[in-house]
Amino acid sequence: MIVSSRPGTKGYAVLITNEHLYWDKPTKHRSVDENFLLHDGRVVSGTLKWSERAGGGTVASREKAIHLHGTYSLQWQDYSNPSTDKNGNFKVLVLEIRSK
């Protein structure tokens, strides 16, 4: 919304996490949040919304669909590996957001 209200500008979305479930491709298919998954290699465009099967508590205060302008290729990159623990590997996802 911020970028789309300022023609000719661009912004960035940055996510840094050590939770592998963000970048790993899910094993469960047809989940209620399927449109919002951020796994590595996914290409995202169009309208993102909750599945019709999502319960009222899941979508409460988040009912409106998100309309994306453009196409985004999700490519996670290694960021930091401070330990060899299960969650010791951090990755970063950086997306450039351009106005129409």
Side-chain angles (χ1 to χ4, degrees):
M1 246 167 105
I2 294 170
V3 173
S4 64
S5 67
R6 294 181 172 88
T9 63
K10 63 182 170 181
Y12 291 89
V14 179
L15 175 59
I16 300 172
T17 183
N18 65 335
E19 178 53 71
H20 71 93
L21 295 176
Y22 282 99
W23 63 77
D24 285 348
K25 190 170 184 175
T27 56
K28 181 179 178 184
H29 297 287
R30 296 184 36 123
S31 62
V32 297
D33 64 345
E34 186 173 33
N35 276 204
F36 302 105
L37 298 178
L38 301 173
H39 60 83
D40 191 51
R42 180 170 182 222
V43 176
V44 184
S45 64
T47 300
L48 308 179
K49 63 182 182 176
W50 291 99
S51 163
E52 299 298 324
R53 298 181 323 279
T58 299
V59 301
S61 301
R62 302 180 287 177
E63 295 89 356
K64 288 177 65 176
I66 298 171
H67 304 284
L68 300 178
H69 300 286
T71 300
Y72 299 92
S73 178
L74 308 182
Q75 303 296 321
W76 287 88
Q77 303 294 320
D78 288 331
Y79 181 75
S80 176
N81 200 348
S83 76
T84 57
D85 294 344
K86 176 184 174 188
N87 293 323
N89 185 29
F90 285 78
K91 290 197 178 199
V92 62
L93 176 66
V94 179
L95 299 173
E96 182 179 293
I97 314 299
R98 294 181 181 257
S99 63
K100 291 202 273 184

